[in-house]
Amino acid sequence: MTAQPQKYYSEEEYLEIERDADYKSEYYKGEIFAMAGAGHNHNRIVGNLMGECYIAFKGKECRTYSSDQRIHIPETGLYTYPDLLIVCDKNQYLDDKKDTILNPTVIIEVLSESTEAYDRGEKFHFYRSIPSLQEYVLINSRSFAAEVFRKNEDGLWFLASEAYQLKDQLEFASVGLTLSMEDIYAQTEDLLKSA
């Protein structure tokens, strides 16, 4: 058998395909990767975060976007859909279509078994090149575990806040927001308790 050659797409071709697609795909170095659907706990956590952020930011400068909002990282060429974005300055867009944001302040990813290594590793490395990004948040969908990584004044990233029990709170200092783990994990099912 002969292997079929890999097709590579330009960014313009990806955007044209993506804007007409019925499902979301990431783009990196000429390749398009279909994104998998999410489970109950993942969706519940994202919904809880959206609700809490809406209340906290109502009437303020910051606003949230769900996983339907595409971002682009010019330095790496990655186009992706984080689980949740918080933007606190005027939106900067890739082009006049205004469907791709360039300047998130906070990115939140909800970890699943299939995405955890990528979200913690290469994807976090890519996100760190976004000049506007101040905090990167990882929330586990299989157990009570959440971490906030923050950029310091020298541009170095460090673990700033972590929580492993429902009574704990998670601080997003860059946007003046503190959320309880109980609210983040409300109505989730079958989670493992942290030791």
Side-chain angles (χ1 to χ4, degrees):
M1 292 186 89
T2 305
Q4 294 295 318
Q6 173 68 44
K7 174 151 176 62
Y8 290 93
Y9 300 85
S10 69
E11 290 187 27
E12 293 77 17
E13 289 173 319
Y14 160 74
L15 287 170
E16 186 176 330
I17 292 167
E18 188 70 3
R19 286 172 173 151
D20 289 334
D22 293 330
Y23 56 88
K24 298 179 296 190
S25 297
E26 287 189 337
Y27 172 89
Y28 182 61
K29 290 189 175 180
E31 294 186 67
I32 297 174
F33 305 92
M35 297 181 69
H40 168 78
N41 285 346
H42 183 285
N43 289 327
R44 190 66 257 132
I45 291 166
V46 171
N48 292 340
L49 289 166
M50 285 292 294
E52 294 297 320
C53 288
Y54 173 79
I55 293 165
F57 298 141
K58 190 172 181 178
K60 297 180 181 172
E61 182 179 283
C62 296
R63 63 216 156 276
T64 56
Y65 295 93
S66 70
S67 60
D68 286 331
Q69 179 60 62
R70 182 174 51 244
I71 67 167
H72 175 57
I73 307 169
E75 187 171 313
T76 66
L78 177 69
Y79 288 83
T80 190
Y81 296 84
D83 290 317
L84 192 78
L85 297 176
I86 301 173
V87 181
C88 293
D89 290 322
K90 183 177 179 182
N91 287 354
Q92 294 174 14
Y93 296 105
L94 176 69
D95 56 30
D96 61 1
K97 300 277 189 197
K98 294 187 174 184
D99 59 359
T100 308
I101 288 180
L102 302 174
N103 63 320
T105 305
V106 177
I107 292 176
I108 301 171
E109 293 286 8
V110 178
L111 305 175
S112 65
E113 194 169 353
S114 64
T115 65
E116 182 168 3
Y118 177 51
D119 288 342
R120 285 187 176 284
E122 191 173 25
K123 200 171 197 184
F124 185 20
H125 176 73
F126 293 157
Y127 284 158
R128 288 193 299 259
S129 71
I130 301 172
S132 63
L133 189 65
Q134 297 300 307
E135 290 178 307
Y136 181 52
V137 182
L138 297 173
I139 299 176
N140 200 313
S141 67
R142 299 177 323 270
S143 64
F144 299 113
E147 301 160 299
V148 177
F149 294 89
R150 189 171 300 137
K151 184 166 57 176
N152 69 17
E153 292 177 2
D154 298 323
L156 301 175
W157 287 86
F158 65 99
L159 179 61
S161 178
E162 57 188 332
Y164 299 99
Q165 298 179 30
L166 283 180
K167 64 179 175 55
D168 293 340
Q169 295 192 323
L170 206 58
E171 181 188 14
F172 306 76
S174 66
V175 294
L177 177 64
T178 301
L179 296 178
S180 75
M181 291 284 278
E182 189 171 19
D183 289 336
I184 292 170
Y185 283 95
Q187 298 180 336
T188 55
E189 300 173 351
D190 304 322
L191 291 172
L192 302 172
K193 299 225 187 284
S194 298

